[in-house]
Amino acid sequence: MAASDTTPRGLSAAQAAARLAQDGPNQLTPPRPRTLWHMLAELVREPMLQLMLAAGLIYLLLGDRREALMLLAFVVLMVVISLVQEQRTERVLEALRDLTSPRALVLRDGAPQRIAGTAVVRGDVLVLAEGDRVAADARLLEAYDLQADESLLSGESLPVLKARGEAVLAGSMVVGGQGLAEVTAIGAASEIGRIGSALAEIASPDSPLRSQTRRLVRVFALLGLTLSAGLVLLYGLARGDWLAAVLAGISLAMSMLPQEFLLILTVFMAMGAWRLSRQRVLTRRAATIETLGSATVLCTDKTGTLTLNQMAVAELQPWGQVLPAELLEFAVLASEREPFDAMERALLERARGQQPPAPLHPGWRLVHEYGLSSSLPAMTHVWHDEAGAAVVAVKGAPEAVLSLARLPAAQAEALAAQAQAMAARGLRVLAVARAGWQGQEDWPAAPDGFAWQLLGLVAFADPLRPEVPAAIEECRAAGLRVLMITGDHAETARAIAAQAGLAATAGVLTGPELAGMGEAQLRAAVRSHQVFARIRPEQKLSIVAALKAQGEVVAMTGDGVNDAPSLKAAHIGIAMGGRGTDVAREAAALVLLDDNFASIVQAVRLGRRIFDNLRKAMAFVLAVHVPIAGLSLLPLLLGWPVLLGPVHIAFLELLIDPVCSVVFEAEHEEGDVMRRPPRDPQAPLFSAGLMAWSAAQGLLVLLAVAGLFGWLLAQQFSAEQARSLAFVALVACNIGLILANRNLRSSLLQAWLRPNAMLWSMLLATAALLAATLGLAPLREVFRFATMPPPQLLAALGLGLLVWLLLEAMKALARRRL
């Protein structure tokens, strides 16, 4: 629908900006940002900080103000680090919310412009088409067979036919026709605004991974508190110093509390969604990131995903005495006035450039429309010319238009052969026909009520995306089957599949063939076929069900209203951001901003990387807590001086938190990430092998540091000297744990060649903090350290290097189990 003298031009950009400033954004409920106070309130409830504050209070009761102040300083540092990470995550989530907000097509200064739904203001003119979610309450200025699904508001399941002057409501879905509507109410002032608050309070359930992690945290917390309570009793009864006993119990509880697990999940999922957005893939549900690495089958459409969606009219085959200009004239009449579809844009461009030019009839008025349907894949428009006479045009799949034209059998066979020859060259083929009508708007119930005259065939060329063959080969290496599912002719599908590198050795399975299959036959067919043609949208759902019944993890692409069920049924629904409808985007878990197949493959690669790094971070956290807990408990059981108090554990937590959440998240993928089979979705995050590996790493560090501490005491080193060297060795060994867990599959050299700027920043910060505790007298006294000659410090650091090399050797032996 072009803007003309009779079509509203809409608001100017300046008027829209003024309205937005006056009324605020178009949203159901005001945003509820997490302020610093919200974040601080959550942090105060963290068990680790509560334990540190309790330890500080006990130090005050014991008269040790310096330790109490140091613990308070560590609390402040940990709060600052947590707030920085929280705000970074919040900024990422806010940016993603802006990207994924619903979009609206409005007229601004007379030109159509796609804007965020939140930027729609009163007075805007919405351009509505099939598949659009209405962004605000509006009054229809023009309506052409516009039908709206208002079930979200009214509960009425059947679409409502809307006429000019009637209202369309925010949240309703356009399921047919098109129109223009002026916005009358936005946000809380709209009808759906009344239920906005209730919708905002609905909480999404935890993902399986988060539920699994919460259970693990509860187990460790319960174990730590039980052991800590037992230690307090034993220490107090044996030594009679109950304040020291409580302090020892707090130290043990701090050492065993794996508070980092949920932090890891939050940071990894938010940053993963952000990294996906940089690959032009928006994540609508964070839990999908967990599933990406498990995908085994990728079902993709052809047009715009495997191909460039840059349609051009390649061939015209007029029928009989029809001229090319007349064929193009009626192909354009069967299209939208302001086309968004690539084929319709190509038709309009060719009609304007045709010699002689095809008439475009700007003064004709569209009075009725029959949309595409599964039973008749063709679009029919009824026009009134300047004299008021009805002219009808249809374009669609050759077999559909042939069925309307009712040609003699020989002629129908000849035309079908022409269409098949075009399709075999990889061209997309449409047939065009015309009709008249003598009635006064008592239109037939369906297009087959008109008397059609066939005009001919139009063929379009849509080149394959150059990156597709390499992307499909990458999928093959990753154990990911690719199925091409298209509504195009079987020969077109076969030709494009051959160009893309998809094997069609089992032939092309068509929609009519699929419709005649039983459940068992369909399962066998989807197991053996890779190319599907003339598939109706509802048949995609059958394909998804058959694949899921075989245990496959299915990713499915789609763009139309009728694709929504299959997108929702798939494990990973992927909607098209460029040409897709709002219905498809809302049903999907991922949205491709560029509609590019290669972006899907990159998303799978990134999903595998995220899960790999998540396992590395979790393995590190489990491993690092073993020596900390052991070195908190062993000296008390063996009668040695205390090695780790709350202040030492707080220092180590400053090292652990940013490492597990930021350093591992930034780790690049390993070289074989797309050369291994998909991950079993039923496999737990913490497999027996991974937990055993973490425990073995932790025990090695515990034995090394405890052995060093015991040997130093046996050699008559003072408690302060032994504690200093053992602590330096523990920090060095923890760094060894970080380096060892950076890579579980690749070699040591490959790991070093993978850059990670966050790792080096963390190592420099750790070195600076450790140097301060050893070099500054006030800090030495708080930590109960002593100055040590450089050779002894180098020996302690060397122990970390030795442990790292031993871990690498152990990993090489255990790599198959990992």
Side-chain angles (χ1 to χ4, degrees):
M1 289 170 288
S4 66
D5 293 339
T6 59
T7 301
R9 292 181 57 80
L11 298 176
S12 68
Q15 289 172 321
R19 290 274 174 89
L20 187 61
Q22 175 185 344
D23 295 346
N26 175 31
Q27 48 196 14
L28 298 182
T29 55
R32 296 182 296 173
R34 284 162 49 83
T35 64
L36 286 175
W37 290 112
H38 287 116
M39 296 178 187
L40 280 172
E42 289 183 6
L43 286 171
V44 168
R45 292 195 292 269
E46 286 289 335
M48 181 63 74
L49 291 183
Q50 292 175 351
L51 288 171
M52 291 174 67
L53 291 171
L57 179 61
I58 293 173
Y59 277 125
L60 283 177
L61 293 175
L62 292 171
D64 195 337
R65 293 184 178 179
R66 286 179 303 182
E67 292 241 15
L69 289 174
M70 179 55 67
L71 273 177
L72 179 61
F74 276 132
V75 167
V76 171
L77 269 174
M78 290 183 69
V79 167
V80 169
I81 290 173
S82 297
L83 287 177
V84 169
Q85 289 179 333
E86 285 266 4
Q87 287 192 307
R88 183 188 184 200
T89 302
E90 194 68 21
R91 284 196 299 271
V92 168
L93 292 174
E94 186 62 36
L96 290 170
R97 278 192 289 267
D98 290 342
L99 282 171
T100 55
S101 67
R103 315 295 286 175
L105 187 65
V106 300
L107 293 180
R108 292 273 171 91
D109 297 316
Q113 182 179 345
R114 184 75 65 178
I115 63 173
T118 53
V120 170
V121 297
R122 288 180 301 106
D124 265 332
V125 175
L126 300 175
V127 182
L128 302 176
E130 181 180 328
D132 288 346
R133 176 76 71 182
V134 180
D137 287 0
R139 179 177 58 86
L140 282 168
L141 304 175
E142 295 181 14
Y144 301 99
D145 295 312
L146 191 142
Q147 299 177 65
D149 177 0
E150 298 180 343
S151 57
L152 180 65
L153 296 123
S154 66
E156 174 59 51
S157 59
L158 296 176
V160 180
L161 184 65
K162 296 287 185 176
R164 181 176 180 177
E166 293 185 345
V168 286
L169 303 178
S172 60
M173 187 72 70
V174 179
V175 295
Q178 54 186 320
L180 295 175
E182 183 180 1
V183 174
T184 56
I186 64 171
S190 65
E191 287 293 321
I192 199 173
R194 300 175 184 176
I195 61 173
S197 299
L199 290 173
E201 296 300 322
I202 298 174
S204 299
D206 278 346
S207 70
L209 191 57
R210 185 169 289 272
S211 299
Q212 187 184 144
T213 305
R214 285 188 186 278
R215 286 195 299 270
L216 191 69
V217 170
R218 283 196 293 267
V219 168
F220 273 93
L222 181 62
L223 179 62
L225 291 174
T226 302
L227 289 176
S228 299
L231 178 62
V232 170
L233 286 174
L234 289 173
Y235 192 106
L237 292 173
R239 303 191 183 185
D241 189 345
W242 287 98
L243 276 179
V246 172
L247 201 59
I250 288 174
S251 297
L252 183 60
M254 288 173 63
S255 70
M256 295 193 67
L257 188 65
Q259 66 162 18
E260 300 86 4
F261 282 158
L262 293 175
L263 172 69
I264 290 170
L265 269 185
T266 301
V267 171
F268 270 60
M269 293 302 109
M271 294 302 296
W274 175 73
R275 291 188 189 280
L276 279 170
S277 72
R278 297 185 69 188
Q279 299 287 343
R280 309 290 292 161
V281 180
L282 294 187
T283 308
R284 299 192 69 252
R285 288 186 281 277
T288 307
I289 297 174
E290 302 173 20
T291 316
L292 274 171
S294 303
T296 60
V297 176
L298 174 53
C299 303
T300 177
D301 56 1
K302 176 183 71 68
T303 304
T305 308
L306 295 178
T307 63
L308 289 169
N309 201 25
Q310 295 175 356
M311 291 285 187
V313 176
E315 294 183 24
L316 296 174
Q317 289 285 352
W319 184 254
Q321 302 303 311
V322 175
L323 297 174
E326 185 180 5
L327 175 60
L328 285 168
E329 172 191 1
F330 278 85
V332 170
L333 286 173
S335 306
E336 302 295 351
R337 274 291 196 197
E338 290 289 337
F340 295 98
D341 179 77
M343 284 196 298
E344 294 188 346
R345 290 200 303 267
L347 283 169
L348 186 59
E349 184 179 346
R350 178 63 179 269
R352 287 169 175 163
Q354 182 71 23
Q355 293 300 325
L360 299 179
H361 307 296
W364 288 17
R365 185 165 63 91
L366 180 65
V367 292
H368 195 61
E369 180 178 6
Y370 300 88
L372 293 162
S373 68
S374 57
S375 58
L376 187 71
M379 179 179 286
T380 307
H381 284 173
V382 183
W383 300 86
H384 274 170
D385 62 16
E386 291 88 346
V391 180
V392 193
V394 63
K395 75 175 190 310
E399 59 269 28
V401 177
L402 278 174
S403 69
L404 294 175
R406 301 184 180 92
L407 292 177
Q411 294 183 16
E413 289 176 7
L415 192 84
Q418 284 187 11
Q420 186 165 356
M422 290 175 167
R425 297 194 294 274
L427 302 177
R428 188 169 184 181
V429 186
L430 295 180
V432 182
R434 64 171 297 171
W437 185 252
Q438 301 302 319
Q440 294 299 314
E441 299 197 4
D442 51 341
W443 315 115
D448 60 5
F450 295 101
W452 294 101
Q453 174 197 352
L454 184 69
L455 299 178
L457 302 174
V458 182
F460 302 82
D462 183 13
L464 189 76
R465 291 182 184 269
E467 62 271 22
V468 163
I472 286 179
E473 183 56 39
E474 192 172 14
C475 288
R476 191 174 290 116
L480 183 62
R481 283 183 67 209
V482 179
L483 308 185
M484 186 177 82
I485 303 174
T486 179
D488 277 356
H489 193 284
E491 292 302 322
T492 306
R494 191 192 307 274
I496 295 297
Q499 295 174 31
L502 282 174
T505 52
V508 178
L509 185 66
T510 65
E513 292 170 339
L514 187 147
M517 291 182 176
E519 189 174 322
Q521 288 177 300
L522 179 57
R523 289 186 188 180
V526 297
R527 190 182 298 116
S528 60
H529 288 76
Q530 284 190 271
V531 183
F532 299 78
R534 284 292 187 247
I535 299 296
R536 301 194 304 269
E538 61 269 23
Q539 289 180 315
K540 286 187 175 183
L541 185 59
S542 301
I543 294 173
V544 170
L547 290 167
K548 289 171 71 174
Q550 297 172 17
E552 305 283 7
V553 178
V554 185
M556 169 69 79
T557 67
D559 56 9
V561 174
N562 292 332
D563 288 331
S566 60
L567 292 175
K568 200 166 184 108
H571 297 96
I572 307 169
I574 306 170
M576 301 298 110
R579 68 181 190 277
T581 60
D582 287 346
V583 184
R585 285 192 286 269
E586 290 181 17
L590 300 178
V591 179
L592 293 187
L593 292 181
D594 56 7
D595 297 359
N596 191 343
F597 176 81
S599 296
I600 305 175
V601 182
Q602 289 303 314
V604 172
R605 172 188 286 274
L606 189 55
R608 292 188 175 194
R609 164 188 162 175
I610 291 168
F611 198 85
D612 271 4
N613 289 346
L614 190 61
R615 292 181 78 233
K616 293 172 185 178
M618 297 292 195
F620 167 75
V621 170
L622 283 175
V624 81
H625 277 279
V626 172
I628 296 175
L631 295 172
S632 300
L633 183 61
L634 274 179
L636 302 176
L637 297 178
L638 299 176
W640 293 347
V642 172
L643 173 54
L644 296 180
V647 69
H648 303 96
I649 296 173
F651 179 97
L652 294 170
E653 285 294 329
L654 286 177
L655 167 67
I656 295 170
D657 277 0
V659 166
C660 66
S661 61
V662 177
V663 173
F664 280 111
E665 191 282 328
E667 193 67 34
H668 286 262
E669 70 265 15
E670 300 201 23
D672 69 338
V673 71
M674 291 297 280
R675 294 197 303 272
R676 56 175 107 130
R679 177 179 60 85
D680 181 359
Q682 304 303 320
L685 174 64
F686 299 98
S687 63
L690 185 65
M691 294 189 76
W693 166 239
S694 295
Q697 292 182 90
L699 283 173
L700 177 61
V701 174
L702 173 60
L703 290 173
V705 178
L708 174 64
F709 190 55
W711 182 82
L712 291 170
L713 293 175
Q715 297 299 312
Q716 305 304 311
F717 281 77
S718 67
E720 289 77 12
Q721 291 174 322
R723 184 180 298 111
S724 302
L725 291 171
F727 189 77
V728 170
L730 177 59
V731 172
C733 288
N734 284 350
I735 292 172
L737 283 175
I738 296 167
L739 298 176
N741 282 282
R742 282 188 68 200
N743 63 306
L744 296 179
R745 295 171 178 268
S746 53
S747 68
L748 181 61
L749 178 61
Q750 289 171 325
W752 274 107
L753 292 177
R754 287 203 308 270
N756 189 334
M758 298 302 300
L759 171 65
W760 295 110
S761 300
M762 183 278 307
L763 291 178
L764 288 174
T766 301
L769 280 173
L770 188 59
T773 61
L774 295 170
L776 299 177
L779 290 179
R780 276 202 310 272
E781 293 178 11
V782 171
F783 279 84
R784 293 183 170 84
F785 287 163
T787 56
M788 297 299 299
Q792 292 170 320
L793 287 176
L794 287 174
L797 292 171
L799 182 63
L801 177 61
L802 177 62
V803 165
W804 176 38
L805 294 175
L806 286 173
L807 287 171
E808 291 292 340
M810 290 168 55
K811 186 169 58 181
L813 294 174
R815 184 164 286 142
R816 177 170 296 181
R817 293 187 61 82
L818 293 176

